[in-house]
Amino acid sequence: MIDNWEVSFPIVVHEELNMAEIRDLALQAIKTGYLTLEAEEKLRYLMSHHYGQEDFLAFMRLQEAAMQGRVRQESRERLKRRHLSVAIASRT
């Protein structure tokens, strides 16, 4: 378990994707307890390219928070709703 993670870096706002954005996205999701579909797609793209150790550690902390239930994922919630809709529709 990763404890005592405090980060004080500025949020980077650019039109193009920035490698520091991995840390930004991870920190935002951990702070809010929610990973949006858009942020998840950006993370997937960014993680498929070169990234540094700090970005990797931030991503791992986000993964740990999601596995522990401290961060909900919009993609998983949508999938659950879709499966529930199919199950309900199949009963009728």
Side-chain angles (χ1 to χ4, degrees):
M1 180 174 173
I2 301 168
D3 293 325
N4 301 325
W5 183 49
E6 289 296 323
V7 178
S8 58
F9 52 84
I11 298 296
V12 179
V13 181
H14 289 108
E15 290 294 318
E16 63 188 22
L17 294 174
N18 186 309
M19 285 304 119
E21 198 169 359
I22 292 172
R23 288 170 287 188
D24 298 338
L25 292 168
L27 180 61
Q28 181 179 1
I30 290 169
K31 282 186 173 183
T32 63
Y34 194 75
L35 180 63
T36 65
L37 190 57
E38 178 184 359
E40 189 173 348
E41 289 171 0
K42 283 183 183 179
L43 281 169
R44 191 172 292 117
Y45 172 80
L46 291 168
M47 293 300 292
S48 71
H49 293 76
H50 181 75
Y51 50 86
Q53 183 177 0
E54 288 184 38
D55 292 316
F56 178 73
L57 291 174
F59 182 75
M60 293 306 296
R61 288 181 180 108
L62 174 58
Q63 289 295 316
E64 181 180 43
M67 290 186 306
Q68 293 174 347
R70 294 184 289 122
V71 173
R72 294 179 5 249
Q73 294 174 259
E74 181 180 3
S75 62
R76 292 189 183 266
E77 290 178 351
R78 285 183 177 200
L79 187 60
K80 286 178 187 176
R81 281 195 303 266
R82 190 175 309 135
H83 286 187
L84 181 59
S85 296
V86 169
I88 291 171
S90 68
R91 290 184 193 176
T92 58

